[in-house]
């Protein structure tokens, strides 16, 4: 008879295999052209997708957990003409994009869309001359961490961004840095005076010893 330990290990192995099972899907299964097609999205936990994922003409927040499991995309991610989607298209687990005829990521003509791509993205390649296309979106911003992730993930040494986005940065508080500059200057002045005093006092002691 099998021991309890052996049975537990067997069950654990089965669970690991099940959890890491690869589910292959076609890009059309995760593509939508209007609000009515959202309900037709596949319910499979797709991990590897072949073909472009095209998301267009959606005009309100949606519950679309279908994108959460996607890890590899052999095609382009295209999001166009959407309104107030927020982070409904969540691709936090996306690790690789291998595009062909189009830029790897095309995001244009959207309002209120958050680019929900995480730091796990480690490889982006495309045969197109442009790697990333971001245009005519509002608000038209990209955080520095997002730009860094996309830049470092690109297979090209110098990926081309075609974008009208600007970086989302926070303005420095001038008074705060002015205060610390003043404090640092005072400390430097005090230290300089102290060093001069020590050096002069040391020379006097040396003269006394010589005499």
């Amino acid at each position: 008879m099998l021991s309890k330990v052996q049975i537990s290990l067997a069950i654990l192995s089965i669970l690991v295999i099940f959890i890491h099972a690869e589910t292959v899907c076609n890009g059309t299964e995760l593509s939508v052209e209007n609000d009515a097609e959202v309900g037709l999205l596949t319910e499979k936990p797709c991990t590897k997708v072949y073909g472009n994922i095209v998301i267009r003409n959606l005009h309100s927040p949606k519950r679309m957990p279908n994108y959460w499991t996607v890890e590899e995309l052999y095609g382009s991610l295209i999001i166009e003409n959407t309104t107030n989607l927020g982070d409904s298209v969540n691709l936090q687990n996306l690790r690789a994009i291998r595009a062909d005829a189009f830029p790897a990521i095309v995001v244009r003509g959207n309002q209120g869309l958050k680019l929900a791509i995480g730091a796990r993205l480690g490889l982006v390649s495309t045969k197109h001359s442009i790697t990333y296309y971001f245009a005519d979106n509002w608000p038209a911003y990209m955080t520095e961490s997002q730009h860094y992730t996309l830049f470092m993930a690109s297979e090209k040494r110098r990926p081309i961004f075609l974008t009208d986005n600007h970086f989302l940065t926070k303005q420095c508080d001038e008074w705060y840095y002015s205060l610390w500059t003043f404090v640092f200057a005072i400390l430097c002045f005090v230290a300089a005076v102290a060093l001069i005093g020590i050096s002069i006092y040391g020379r006097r002691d040396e003269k006394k010893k010589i005499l």
Side-chain angles (χ1 to χ4, degrees):
M1 294 180 65
L2 294 174
S3 66
K4 292 182 178 180
V5 175
Q6 290 175 318
I7 294 174
S8 299
L9 288 174
I11 294 174
L12 182 61
S13 300
I14 293 172
L15 288 174
V16 169
I17 293 172
F18 177 76
I19 292 172
H20 290 87
E22 182 180 277
T23 303
V24 179
C25 298
N26 191 284
T28 56
E29 297 180 80
L30 292 172
S31 296
V32 289
E33 292 287 343
N34 53 61
D35 292 333
E37 293 185 3
V38 173
L40 302 178
L41 288 169
T42 182
E43 295 182 358
K44 295 187 294 185
C46 303
T47 57
K48 185 178 290 187
V49 180
Y50 288 90
N52 300 331
I53 294 178
V54 182
I55 301 167
R56 292 192 181 109
N57 308 318
L58 303 183
H59 300 294
S60 61
K62 308 293 180 186
R63 185 178 180 277
M64 298 187 292
N66 320 69
Y67 303 103
W68 177 261
T69 56
V70 177
E71 296 180 0
E72 296 179 58
L73 172 60
Y74 292 84
S76 298
L77 172 64
I78 302 173
I79 306 176
E80 298 176 322
N81 190 33
T82 67
T83 306
N84 299 324
L85 270 190
D87 58 357
S88 298
V89 183
N90 195 318
L91 291 159
Q92 292 293 325
N93 289 312
L94 185 61
R95 300 176 184 273
I97 301 176
R98 295 177 174 86
D100 189 9
F102 299 100
I105 300 177
V106 178
V107 180
R108 61 186 171 191
N110 303 284
Q111 294 187 12
L113 174 70
K114 294 181 180 178
L115 185 63
I117 293 178
R120 293 185 179 183
L121 184 63
L123 174 63
V124 176
S125 64
T126 179
K127 295 179 181 178
H128 198 276
S129 59
I130 298 171
T131 308
Y132 305 108
Y133 186 107
F134 298 92
D136 303 321
N137 301 294
W138 187 90
Y141 68 77
M142 179 185 297
T143 65
E144 292 186 27
S145 61
Q146 288 171 337
H147 180 270
Y148 178 81
T149 297
L150 295 176
F151 183 85
M152 295 303 295
S154 176
E155 192 175 52
K156 299 178 182 178
R157 294 185 62 184
R158 295 182 178 179
I160 296 177
F161 286 74
L162 195 158
T163 177
D164 58 4
N165 285 5
H166 59 266
F167 285 129
L168 182 65
T169 57
K170 184 178 180 181
Q171 186 175 1
C172 297
D173 293 324
E174 185 178 352
W175 69 268
Y176 178 82
Y177 289 98
S178 297
L179 174 63
W180 279 106
T181 302
F182 176 75
V183 172
F184 182 72
I186 294 296
L187 291 175
C188 289
F189 176 76
V190 172
V193 171
L195 290 173
I196 293 172
I198 292 171
S199 63
I200 294 174
Y201 182 78
R203 288 181 180 178
R204 287 181 178 178
D205 287 344
E206 289 178 0
K207 288 181 179 179
K208 288 180 180 179
K209 289 179 181 179
I210 293 172
L211 294 174

